Amino acid sequence: MKILLIEDEDTIGAAIQQGLEEAHYTVDWARDGRAGLDAALDELYGLIILDLMLPGRDGWSICQSLRARRDTTPILMLTARDAVGDRVRGLEMGADDYLPKPFDFGELLARVRALLRRDAVHKGRVIQIADLQIDTKQRNVLRAGQEVSLTPREYSLLEALAVREGQVLTRETILDTVWMNEESLPNNVDVYVGMLRRKIDAGRDAKLIRTVHGLGYSLRDPQTSEGEG
Ligand code: CA
């Protein structure tokens, strides 16, 4: 998977490039806005990491140019810590996510993986979280290579959680996504999460489904989310 990094600060750029390469991504690093936009237009990337304040051309205008050309490559914007306005503007220009500076490399990697996964889902491919594999086209689920047999409702619940890996979904969100317009009660969510857990997590060392007390549920790889949140 090839990632385009557009960042003018040497230290930050070098750290991101090195970290991503260690995570087995190929990285092209453009150090100014013009070179960045040219690279994005010339080559097909899986993801673009885009700084906002750049010589040549700023991040917003790069984002806008790409989206105006119907380029849907996922864009992760790097923004200043407290500049809420920057983030709103970035999302309006078509960025998929943003990460405030300074950040922890683990956080960046988690966002990169989440965006790539989300993009893969949109293209109807396979979601892989730890040893859980979900084929969203076949609606087929494997845990550690073994097929897990799920009811359609359990499958929808699992997919809803997996697509938003690491994010907490409230019971209301789950009801809206999985039950849609049907009459149902928040308690049903707990019942179904319980059933899903018995099929996905029971008897496994790594538990993927997490209860976030007072909030809801999330699905994450316990290995990669250590120290987060
Ligand atoms: Ca900069």
Side-chain angles (χ1 to χ4, degrees), residues 7-9 51 53:
E7 168 65 79
D8 61 316
E9 282 163 73
D51 187 32
M53 305 309 279

Side-chain angles (χ1 to χ4, degrees), residues 1-5 14-29 45-49 76 105-118 120 128 165 224:
M1 178 63 70
K2 212 164 176 185
I3 295 176
L4 174 62
L5 168 65
I16 294 176
Q17 185 177 40
Q18 190 192 343
L20 288 174
E21 285 177 353
E22 279 166 11
H24 307 293
Y25 294 105
T26 304
V27 180
D28 282 351
W29 178 12
Y45 291 98
L47 179 100
I48 299 171
I49 299 173
L76 174 61
F105 182 75
E107 178 68 18
L108 176 94
L109 189 58
R111 301 291 182 95
V112 164
R113 287 186 167 143
L115 282 175
L116 289 173
R117 183 167 294 122
R118 202 160 86 189
Q128 174 95 43
E165 183 198 353
T224 60

Side-chain angles (χ1 to χ4, degrees), residues 49-119:
I49 299 173
L50 182 60
D51 187 32
L52 280 178
M53 305 309 279
L54 292 162
R57 212 175 161 138
D58 68 37
W60 292 290
S61 96
I62 293 174
C63 198
Q64 200 174 25
S65 301
L66 291 174
R67 295 307 186 231
R69 289 173 167 85
R70 299 184 186 282
D71 184 320
T72 59
T73 309
I75 295 176
L76 174 61
M77 267 190 179
L78 305 179
T79 67
R81 169 67 58 191
D82 296 315
V84 178
D86 286 1
R87 290 172 211 166
V88 173
R89 198 170 151 208
L91 295 172
E92 280 171 0
M93 297 280 178
D96 296 274
D97 200 1
Y98 60 83
L99 188 60
K101 286 177 173 180
F103 50 81
D104 188 76
F105 182 75
E107 178 68 18
L108 176 94
L109 189 58
R111 301 291 182 95
V112 164
R113 287 186 167 143
L115 282 175
L116 289 173
R117 183 167 294 122
R118 202 160 86 189
D119 196 48

Side-chain angles (χ1 to χ4, degrees), residues 15-220:
I16 294 176
Q17 185 177 40
Q18 190 192 343
L20 288 174
E21 285 177 353
E22 279 166 11
H24 307 293
Y25 294 105
T26 304
V27 180
D28 282 351
W29 178 12
R31 288 167 175 78
D32 71 72
R34 236 166 240 129
L37 181 60
D38 286 347
L41 295 173
D42 283 351
E43 273 210 58
L44 208 61
Y45 291 98
L47 179 100
I48 299 171
I49 299 173
L50 182 60
D51 187 32
L52 280 178
M53 305 309 279
L54 292 162
R57 212 175 161 138
D58 68 37
W60 292 290
S61 96
I62 293 174
C63 198
Q64 200 174 25
S65 301
L66 291 174
R67 295 307 186 231
R69 289 173 167 85
R70 299 184 186 282
D71 184 320
T72 59
T73 309
I75 295 176
L76 174 61
M77 267 190 179
L78 305 179
T79 67
R81 169 67 58 191
D82 296 315
V84 178
D86 286 1
R87 290 172 211 166
V88 173
R89 198 170 151 208
L91 295 172
E92 280 171 0
M93 297 280 178
D96 296 274
D97 200 1
Y98 60 83
L99 188 60
K101 286 177 173 180
F103 50 81
D104 188 76
F105 182 75
E107 178 68 18
L108 176 94
L109 189 58
R111 301 291 182 95
V112 164
R113 287 186 167 143
L115 282 175
L116 289 173
R117 183 167 294 122
R118 202 160 86 189
D119 196 48
V121 169
H122 288 161
K123 290 174 180 149
R125 290 198 215 126
V126 174
I127 307 177
Q128 174 95 43
I129 300 169
D131 60 359
L132 176 72
Q133 214 178 65
I134 306 169
D135 183 328
T136 57
K137 245 184 187 158
Q138 309 287 332
R139 296 166 74 88
N140 187 37
V141 178
L142 301 175
R143 179 89 207 249
Q146 290 180 319
E147 190 161 348
V148 182
S149 166
L150 299 177
T151 64
R153 183 87 75 199
E154 289 165 349
Y155 176 83
S156 301
L157 173 61
L158 179 66
E159 194 187 278
L161 289 164
V163 166
R164 297 166 191 80
E165 183 198 353
Q167 292 178 27
V168 179
L169 270 66
T170 63
R171 288 177 179 78
E172 288 69 28
T173 304
I174 294 174
L175 278 178
D176 287 348
T177 315
V178 179
W179 276 264
M180 290 186 263
N181 300 322
E182 294 170 60
E183 285 284 311
S184 195
L185 296 166
N187 275 352
N188 252 344
V189 173
D190 302 324
V191 171
Y192 270 85
V193 168
M195 294 195 289
L196 193 57
R197 268 197 170 121
R198 279 195 285 282
K199 292 186 176 179
I200 299 289
D201 279 343
R204 312 260 173 206
D205 287 338
K207 311 285 189 213
L208 304 178
I209 301 171
R210 222 165 59 108
T211 304
V212 183
H213 290 288
L215 278 176
Y217 298 98
S218 80
L219 196 152
R220 50 167 60 185

